[in-house]
Amino acid sequence: MATLLRSRVTDWTFAVPVLAVLVLIGTWGRNLPGPVIVVVALLLGGAVLAAVHHAEVVAHRVGEPYGSLVLAIAVTVIEVALIVTLMISGPEKTQSLARDTVFAAVMITCNGILGLSLLLGALRRRVAVFNPEGTGGALATVITLATLSLVLPSFTTARPGPEFSPAQLTFAAVASLALYGLFVLVQTGRHRDYFLPVDSRGRVIDAEEHAKPPTTRAALVSLGLLLVALVAVVGDAKTISPTIEAGVAAANLPHAFVGVIIALLVLLPETLAAARAARRDRVQISLNLALGSAMASIGLTIPAIAIASIWLDGPLLLGLGGTQLVLLALTAVTAVLTVVPGRANVLQGGVHLVLLAAFIFLAASP
């Protein structure tokens, strides 16, 4: 019975991404009636769950910290494609879309995913334990990338408003890509042990001690299906985005809130994967996902947007406003205090989740 159930689950995780992509192809660029939108939304949720499954298969095969990088980079590449596509299709309303989406991704990962992971880990063991050396380095990289790309444009004087000049944008893009590349080299090479799960005494433990790794063929199939599922997630999210925009307008919410909703949808696979890892007492893997996703979101998105800005019309607004700057600064300070001890309880997790709630509330009611 267990084998049959496992087979059915596997068949489901294979079929849903393919079906979601087929529906995406059939509905792309069309005005959809309500029942079709419901079907697309259900397939979107199924594709998210399938992406988590296949990401975990790949992560189990390649081991940590490589497994965490797979999902973070894959989701971010698709996120970049979505941002560029929306900016091309509606330049008048999307001059700040990159900023809104990247900032939302940073707040969701550094407060939502991180806070949820710490809360689940602490509930399981009373105290969530992780490696402060690797996590602290990741956090420092995220803060630096966010400051270079999202804070400085509000204070430079080469262009009016919160935007970089072409030279400044080029520097920010190159610096972001270089810093992200350096972090990946450190995480996967010289200091790989800093990003592996640890026990209560700080000793490195195997992320998957008891489970047999999948075969190379199974991992490659899951990698392909992971990419298919992520394409379906972002594509179906874009398909229903007119409905989301209409709902946002009907609720009298700021147009920037669309970026928050898109970021929430795109980051669902990472959120679920991080929650599962935390429930298995692998909080370090969860933090790798959270901070790695924030880092990739900036380090890959800003260079891509810099290249796309060559043919995009209108200004590219990257600088954060006053409320956003306060939230980013509060997140940075709180995250530093959380990470330095290498141990956290439910209070730290709750604080970060409250910060996420404050971000979402203020995005809806600035």
Side-chain angles (χ1 to χ4, degrees):
M1 178 63 70
T3 303
L4 178 60
L5 180 59
R6 191 180 306 114
S7 175
R8 288 178 178 175
V9 171
T10 302
D11 291 342
W12 176 82
T13 59
F14 273 62
V16 168
V18 176
L19 181 59
V21 169
L22 291 177
V23 171
L24 171 63
I25 295 173
T27 58
W28 187 261
R30 299 183 180 181
N31 293 324
L32 305 179
V36 177
I37 292 177
V38 172
V39 172
V40 172
L42 291 175
L43 287 174
L44 173 61
V48 167
L49 297 176
V52 172
H53 167 79
H54 293 299
E56 290 182 339
V57 172
V58 175
H60 190 187
R61 176 60 188 176
V62 301
E64 287 298 323
Y66 303 99
S68 299
L69 284 172
V70 171
L71 185 58
I73 294 177
V75 168
T76 304
V77 169
I78 303 300
E79 177 188 346
V80 169
L82 177 60
I83 292 173
V84 173
T85 300
L86 291 176
M87 291 184 71
I88 293 174
S89 63
E92 296 83 6
K93 295 183 178 180
T94 57
Q95 295 173 352
S96 63
L97 179 64
R99 176 196 68 192
D100 297 334
T101 306
V102 170
F103 180 63
V106 171
M107 297 301 290
I108 292 167
T109 52
C110 292
N111 286 317
I113 301 179
L114 187 145
L116 179 63
S117 300
L118 295 179
L119 183 63
L120 292 175
L123 287 174
R124 175 187 173 91
R125 194 199 277 191
R126 295 179 62 88
V127 175
V129 181
F130 50 89
N131 192 325
E133 294 174 299
T135 308
L139 178 61
T141 307
V142 170
I143 294 172
T144 302
L145 287 171
T147 302
L148 287 175
S149 302
L150 301 177
V151 176
L152 286 181
S154 297
F155 297 94
T156 55
T157 58
R159 288 287 182 91
E163 85 176 283
F164 275 142
S165 68
Q168 291 169 339
L169 182 59
T170 301
F171 172 79
V174 173
S176 298
L177 194 58
L179 193 55
Y180 179 70
L182 177 61
F183 173 81
V184 170
L185 290 176
V186 170
Q187 185 185 31
T188 58
R190 188 164 191 162
H191 298 291
R192 177 176 176 268
D193 55 314
Y194 288 177
F195 301 91
L196 297 177
V198 295
D199 60 17
S200 58
R201 298 182 180 178
R203 297 175 300 186
V204 173
I205 56 178
D206 185 3
E208 299 289 350
E209 302 176 301
H210 306 295
K212 183 180 179 180
T215 63
T216 301
R217 179 183 177 184
L220 290 174
V221 170
S222 284
L223 178 60
L225 286 168
L226 169 63
L227 297 177
V228 171
L230 291 173
V231 169
V233 168
V234 177
D236 288 339
K238 185 179 185 305
T239 298
I240 64 175
S241 62
T243 303
I244 295 175
E245 291 179 342
V248 168
N252 293 321
L253 296 174
H255 188 268
F257 198 75
V258 175
V260 177
I261 296 175
I262 292 174
L264 286 169
L265 291 173
V266 172
L267 288 170
L268 266 179
E270 289 165 307
T271 303
L272 295 176
R276 289 186 179 184
R279 286 199 300 267
R280 295 198 305 267
D281 202 20
R282 299 295 185 260
V283 175
Q284 184 64 54
I285 297 177
S286 301
L287 300 187
N288 290 347
L289 279 169
L291 298 177
S293 300
M295 201 182 309
S297 182
I298 306 172
L300 297 180
T301 299
I302 298 303
I305 296 301
I307 295 173
S309 66
I310 297 174
W311 67 83
L312 290 175
D313 296 327
L316 178 62
L317 305 181
L318 290 176
L320 298 174
T323 302
Q324 295 168 320
L325 288 173
V326 171
L327 286 173
L328 181 61
L330 184 56
T331 296
V333 172
T334 303
V336 169
L337 295 175
T338 297
V339 165
V340 167
R343 302 164 65 87
N345 55 37
V346 294
L347 176 60
Q348 283 96 332
V351 168
H352 283 281
L353 291 176
V354 167
L355 283 176
L356 174 66
F359 159 70
I360 295 175
F361 175 77
L362 292 174
S365 180

